[in-house]
Amino acid sequence: MDRKGILIVVSGYSGVGKGTLMKKLIARYEDQYALSVSVTTRKPREGEVEGRDYFFKTWEEFEGLIARDELIEHAVFCDNYYGTPRKYVEEQLLKGRDVILEIEQKGARLIKEKVPDAVLVFVMPPDAATLEKRLRGRGTEPEEVIRQRLLKAVDESKYVENYEYMIVNDDIDRAVEELHQLVESQHKELDRNLAFAREVQADLRKLVACAYPDGEKKGE
Ligand code: 5GP
């Protein structure tokens, strides 16, 4: 039985730990998942690597990608373009891998329009105070940066209802397992397995027709 890959969109407030969640999920189940690397016009941050964290492009290059329809979705976030490369995602899904897009809410909405069987997951902090604590981190960020991130979180919270599932990240290992189990349960949905269900149905009919040439009707 062939298993088709599922497109999983993961969003969450800045500081909620979704990056770590994704890395751990992929490290634990590396044969099953593929993480899409996005394209962006924002400048690389310290330590970020081209092709691992993002593909960094100029504004013109990005608009070329849009014009050639090479992105499944794109959005502007904090004055920069962000987008998901189409080719990689389609190739991985065809190979049967579950593809994760870690993107913001506008992109998530666009994906759901284009790929209705995509699964939209929002990662929540256990409570607001914990998110603030995580944003403050080691206390090295200026107050203004913390303020901006919290304001952004308030803005993002308006779109939570567009998502289908929620994972609370209070314990990272448990959150990884919950996300994995969620994906596994999606694979069991009958709608995703109709071809297989129909194949078994057809084979059963053939089997019954051979074994009981005039009895099939009686069994119905
Ligand atoms: P950052 O600049 O902090 O890496 O990312 C800013 C926001 O852009 C995050 O919410 C992140 O999830 C989102 N993002 C990253 N890649 C994409 C993408 O390909 N498409 C969209 N729509 N958002 C993205």
Side-chain angles (χ1 to χ4, degrees):
M1 176 188 155
D2 282 342
R3 188 161 125 149
K4 263 176 68 189
I6 296 179
L7 192 56
I8 304 139
V9 175
V10 178
S11 304
Y13 306 123
S14 164
V16 79
K18 53 189 190 301
T20 315
L21 184 63
M22 297 304 100
K23 278 194 202 104
K24 286 206 167 212
L25 179 75
I26 284 158
R28 204 174 288 176
Y29 303 101
E30 59 178 336
D31 293 338
Q32 177 169 342
Y33 295 102
L35 182 65
S36 162
V37 177
S38 296
V39 188
T40 184
T41 56
R42 92 150 156 70
K43 297 279 166 283
R45 293 190 189 124
E46 210 183 310
E48 282 186 333
V49 176
E50 163 76 16
R52 185 193 69 187
D53 298 290
Y54 280 105
F55 296 105
F56 297 98
K57 302 281 181 206
T58 63
W59 201 263
E60 292 71 32
E61 285 169 337
F62 198 103
E63 290 188 334
L65 295 175
I66 301 173
R68 294 192 299 278
D69 200 25
E70 289 180 32
L71 302 174
I72 311 183
E73 62 75 36
H74 66 275
V76 174
F77 182 90
C78 292
D79 301 330
N80 276 299
Y81 270 136
Y82 291 83
T84 305
R86 177 186 301 284
K87 190 162 174 270
Y88 176 80
V89 171
E90 290 179 350
E91 277 172 4
Q92 295 299 315
L93 287 174
L94 276 177
K95 283 186 191 162
R97 292 178 96 193
D98 298 325
V99 180
I100 299 181
L101 311 183
E102 191 204 314
I103 64 179
E104 50 65 73
Q105 57 83 21
K106 276 178 265 169
R109 234 181 30 230
L110 287 168
I111 289 287
K112 194 68 190 175
E113 277 169 30
K114 292 190 183 172
V115 187
D117 65 357
V119 179
L120 268 51
V121 182
F122 198 89
V123 184
M124 286 278 184
D127 51 54
T130 307
L131 185 70
E132 188 199 4
K133 212 165 97 196
R134 287 188 192 158
L135 276 173
R136 290 189 186 279
R138 285 163 298 168
T140 47
E141 297 278 18
E143 193 54 37
E144 180 51 24
V145 174
I146 309 285
R147 194 182 75 91
Q148 274 172 14
R149 288 188 183 165
L150 283 171
L151 284 175
K152 188 84 202 157
V154 171
D155 186 45
E156 285 169 61
S157 72
K158 293 180 204 151
Y159 304 100
V160 161
E161 280 129 74
N162 293 340
Y163 290 78
E164 298 162 306
Y165 296 95
M166 173 193 84
I167 300 284
V168 177
N169 185 16
D170 47 0
D171 175 291
I172 186 76
D173 287 315
R174 199 175 67 206
V176 168
E177 216 34 52
E178 274 184 22
L179 183 53
H180 176 63
Q181 289 309 326
L182 169 63
V183 175
E184 286 300 286
S185 69
Q186 296 296 310
H187 276 289
K188 294 179 195 122
E189 276 193 348
L190 201 76
D191 269 3
R192 293 185 197 273
N193 294 286
L194 275 183
F196 175 72
R198 292 199 173 123
E199 200 183 299
V200 174
Q201 186 185 43
D203 286 349
L204 262 174
R205 288 212 162 127
K206 272 188 236 155
L207 188 148
V208 168
C210 282
Y212 312 100
D214 16 80
E216 192 185 358
K217 285 222 164 60
K218 282 181 216 152
E220 276 183 0

Tab-separated table of all heavy atoms in Angstrom, residues 10 12 18 38-39 42 45 48 54 73-75 77 82-84 102-104 106-108 156, ligand 1:
chain	number	residue	atom	x	y	z
A	10	VAL	N	3.008	24.483	9.958
A	10	VAL	CA	3.179	24.749	11.389
A	10	VAL	C	3.433	26.241	11.589
A	10	VAL	O	4.340	26.812	10.994
A	10	VAL	CB	4.348	23.928	11.970
A	10	VAL	CG1	4.554	24.256	13.449
A	10	VAL	CG2	4.099	22.440	11.797
A	12	GLY	N	3.176	29.548	14.764
A	12	GLY	CA	3.153	29.762	16.222
A	12	GLY	C	3.835	31.074	16.536
A	12	GLY	O	4.590	31.602	15.719
A	18	LYS	N	8.960	26.705	18.022
A	18	LYS	CA	8.582	25.829	16.909
A	18	LYS	C	9.793	25.371	16.100
A	18	LYS	O	9.792	24.264	15.572
A	18	LYS	CB	7.502	26.444	16.012
A	18	LYS	CG	7.789	27.820	15.480
A	18	LYS	CD	6.554	28.385	14.813
A	18	LYS	CE	6.838	29.656	14.049
A	18	LYS	NZ	7.392	30.765	14.846
A	38	SER	N	12.551	27.825	3.103
A	38	SER	CA	11.875	28.941	2.436
A	38	SER	C	12.864	29.882	1.756
A	38	SER	O	14.063	29.852	2.037
A	38	SER	CB	11.081	29.748	3.458
A	38	SER	OG	10.066	28.969	4.000
A	39	VAL	N	12.302	30.723	0.906
A	39	VAL	CA	13.071	31.784	0.261
A	39	VAL	C	12.671	33.091	0.944
A	39	VAL	O	11.499	33.279	1.274
A	39	VAL	CB	12.696	31.881	-1.238
A	39	VAL	CG1	13.614	32.845	-1.961
A	39	VAL	CG2	12.737	30.514	-1.892
A	42	ARG	N	14.786	38.819	3.486
A	42	ARG	CA	15.421	39.417	4.661
A	42	ARG	C	16.893	39.006	4.711
A	42	ARG	O	17.297	37.990	4.160
A	42	ARG	CB	14.655	39.104	5.937
A	42	ARG	CG	15.077	37.896	6.681
A	42	ARG	CD	14.832	38.023	8.173
A	42	ARG	NE	14.706	36.741	8.829
A	42	ARG	CZ	15.711	35.879	9.003
A	42	ARG	NH1	16.904	36.115	8.500
A	42	ARG	NH2	15.483	34.745	9.635
A	45	ARG	N	20.604	36.346	9.490
A	45	ARG	CA	21.025	36.684	10.856
A	45	ARG	C	22.328	35.947	11.140
A	45	ARG	O	22.673	35.003	10.427
A	45	ARG	CB	19.963	36.213	11.866
A	45	ARG	CG	18.673	36.966	11.732
A	45	ARG	CD	17.733	36.640	12.907
A	45	ARG	NE	16.427	37.212	12.655
A	45	ARG	CZ	15.282	36.522	12.636
A	45	ARG	NH1	15.282	35.236	12.874
A	45	ARG	NH2	14.145	37.134	12.391
A	48	GLU	N	23.113	32.088	10.502
A	48	GLU	CA	22.222	31.456	9.524
A	48	GLU	C	23.010	31.061	8.271
A	48	GLU	O	23.921	31.780	7.844
A	48	GLU	CB	21.076	32.403	9.156
A	48	GLU	CG	20.007	32.437	10.236
A	48	GLU	CD	18.776	33.246	9.862
A	48	GLU	OE1	18.895	34.188	9.042
A	48	GLU	OE2	17.700	32.950	10.391
A	54	TYR	N	17.474	29.421	5.154
A	54	TYR	CA	16.677	30.066	4.095
A	54	TYR	C	17.511	30.077	2.823
A	54	TYR	O	18.735	29.910	2.862
A	54	TYR	CB	16.390	31.537	4.451
A	54	TYR	CG	15.268	31.759	5.434
A	54	TYR	CD1	15.535	32.111	6.760
A	54	TYR	CD2	13.933	31.633	5.031
A	54	TYR	CE1	14.504	32.332	7.669
A	54	TYR	CE2	12.901	31.857	5.941
A	54	TYR	CZ	13.187	32.195	7.254
A	54	TYR	OH	12.163	32.412	8.145
A	73	GLU	N	3.355	29.452	-2.257
A	73	GLU	CA	2.731	30.593	-1.586
A	73	GLU	C	3.826	31.582	-1.264
A	73	GLU	O	5.000	31.209	-1.185
A	73	GLU	CB	2.009	30.160	-0.301
A	73	GLU	CG	2.879	29.547	0.799
A	73	GLU	CD	3.746	30.513	1.586
A	73	GLU	OE1	3.320	31.643	1.848
A	73	GLU	OE2	4.883	30.132	1.928
A	74	HIS	N	3.444	32.835	-1.078
A	74	HIS	CA	4.403	33.817	-0.564
A	74	HIS	C	3.619	34.885	0.179
A	74	HIS	O	2.413	35.060	-0.050
A	74	HIS	CB	5.250	34.425	-1.688
A	74	HIS	CG	4.474	35.256	-2.642
A	74	HIS	ND1	3.802	34.719	-3.710
A	74	HIS	CD2	4.233	36.585	-2.668
A	74	HIS	CE1	3.190	35.686	-4.360
A	74	HIS	NE2	3.424	36.831	-3.746
A	75	ALA	N	4.307	35.561	1.078
A	75	ALA	CA	3.649	36.619	1.849
A	75	ALA	C	4.704	37.640	2.252
A	75	ALA	O	5.905	37.335	2.265
A	75	ALA	CB	3.001	36.016	3.101
A	77	PHE	N	6.083	39.738	5.352
A	77	PHE	CA	6.049	39.717	6.814
A	77	PHE	C	7.147	40.658	7.279
A	77	PHE	O	8.312	40.508	6.890
A	77	PHE	CB	6.312	38.280	7.305
A	77	PHE	CG	6.252	38.092	8.798
A	77	PHE	CD1	5.054	37.765	9.427
A	77	PHE	CD2	7.390	38.231	9.584
A	77	PHE	CE1	4.994	37.575	10.804
A	77	PHE	CE2	7.341	38.047	10.960
A	77	PHE	CZ	6.144	37.716	11.568
A	82	TYR	N	8.586	36.333	2.034
A	82	TYR	CA	8.896	34.959	2.422
A	82	TYR	C	8.078	34.057	1.508
A	82	TYR	O	6.911	34.357	1.240
A	82	TYR	CB	8.468	34.662	3.868
A	82	TYR	CG	9.270	35.379	4.913
A	82	TYR	CD1	8.987	36.694	5.271
A	82	TYR	CD2	10.324	34.742	5.564
A	82	TYR	CE1	9.723	37.358	6.244
A	82	TYR	CE2	11.062	35.386	6.542
A	82	TYR	CZ	10.762	36.694	6.874
A	82	TYR	OH	11.483	37.340	7.838
A	83	GLY	N	8.665	32.953	1.030
A	83	GLY	CA	7.887	32.066	0.166
A	83	GLY	C	8.389	30.629	0.210
A	83	GLY	O	9.513	30.349	0.606
A	84	THR	N	7.504	29.725	-0.221
A	84	THR	CA	7.785	28.285	-0.203
A	84	THR	C	8.059	27.780	-1.619
A	84	THR	O	7.176	27.878	-2.478
A	84	THR	CB	6.561	27.520	0.361
A	84	THR	OG1	6.240	28.058	1.639
A	84	THR	CG2	6.829	26.043	0.467
A	102	GLU	N	7.153	25.687	7.880
A	102	GLU	CA	7.056	26.505	9.093
A	102	GLU	C	6.847	27.935	8.605
A	102	GLU	O	7.805	28.636	8.276
A	102	GLU	CB	8.360	26.342	9.884
A	102	GLU	CG	8.254	26.928	11.264
A	102	GLU	CD	9.628	27.287	11.800
A	102	GLU	OE1	10.563	26.482	11.693
A	102	GLU	OE2	9.742	28.422	12.302
A	103	ILE	N	5.590	28.357	8.522
A	103	ILE	CA	5.277	29.642	7.883
A	103	ILE	C	4.257	30.430	8.703
A	103	ILE	O	3.649	29.888	9.623
A	103	ILE	CB	4.775	29.443	6.423
A	103	ILE	CG1	3.468	28.671	6.389
A	103	ILE	CG2	5.829	28.729	5.588
A	103	ILE	CD1	2.904	28.474	4.979
A	104	GLU	N	4.074	31.695	8.352
A	104	GLU	CA	3.150	32.518	9.129
A	104	GLU	C	1.720	32.374	8.587
A	104	GLU	O	1.467	31.664	7.610
A	104	GLU	CB	3.644	33.972	9.232
A	104	GLU	CG	4.046	34.635	7.961
A	104	GLU	CD	2.887	34.815	7.031
A	104	GLU	OE1	2.040	35.680	7.295
A	104	GLU	OE2	2.804	34.077	6.012
A	106	LYS	N	-0.620	34.139	6.955
A	106	LYS	CA	-1.130	34.437	5.595
A	106	LYS	C	-0.772	33.294	4.653
A	106	LYS	O	-1.590	32.845	3.852
A	106	LYS	CB	-0.503	35.739	5.068
A	106	LYS	CG	-1.223	36.986	5.536
A	106	LYS	CD	-0.524	38.230	5.023
A	106	LYS	CE	0.435	38.746	6.069
A	106	LYS	NZ	1.364	39.772	5.717
A	107	GLY	N	0.469	32.842	4.773
A	107	GLY	CA	0.933	31.714	3.958
A	107	GLY	C	0.123	30.459	4.263
A	107	GLY	O	-0.243	29.705	3.357
A	108	ALA	N	-0.167	30.246	5.542
A	108	ALA	CA	-0.934	29.063	5.946
A	108	ALA	C	-2.305	29.070	5.257
A	108	ALA	O	-2.770	28.048	4.741
A	108	ALA	CB	-1.103	29.051	7.464
A	156	GLU	N	-0.882	38.148	15.837
A	156	GLU	CA	-0.990	36.784	15.297
A	156	GLU	C	-2.107	35.991	15.974
A	156	GLU	O	-2.709	35.116	15.359
A	156	GLU	CB	0.335	36.034	15.480
A	156	GLU	CG	1.421	36.484	14.510
A	156	GLU	CD	2.780	35.915	14.886
A	156	GLU	OE1	2.937	34.699	14.914
A	156	GLU	OE2	3.678	36.706	15.176
B	1	5GP	P1	11.985	34.921	10.585
B	1	5GP	O1	12.374	36.153	9.835
B	1	5GP	O2	11.897	35.163	12.074
B	1	5GP	O3	12.872	33.737	10.243
B	1	5GP	O4	10.525	34.510	10.108
B	1	5GP	C1	9.479	35.415	10.206
B	1	5GP	C2	8.160	34.723	9.946
B	1	5GP	O5	8.101	34.284	8.584
B	1	5GP	C3	7.927	33.474	10.813
B	1	5GP	O6	6.595	33.546	11.315
B	1	5GP	C4	8.071	32.346	9.839
B	1	5GP	O7	7.283	31.222	10.210
B	1	5GP	C5	7.571	32.988	8.551
B	1	5GP	N1	8.017	32.295	7.338
B	1	5GP	C6	9.184	31.643	7.122
B	1	5GP	N2	9.214	31.127	5.892
B	1	5GP	C7	8.031	31.432	5.301
B	1	5GP	C8	7.464	31.148	4.014
B	1	5GP	O8	8.031	30.495	3.147
B	1	5GP	N3	6.220	31.649	3.771
B	1	5GP	C9	5.527	32.381	4.689
B	1	5GP	N4	4.317	32.794	4.349
B	1	5GP	N5	6.042	32.662	5.903
B	1	5GP	C10	7.272	32.189	6.217
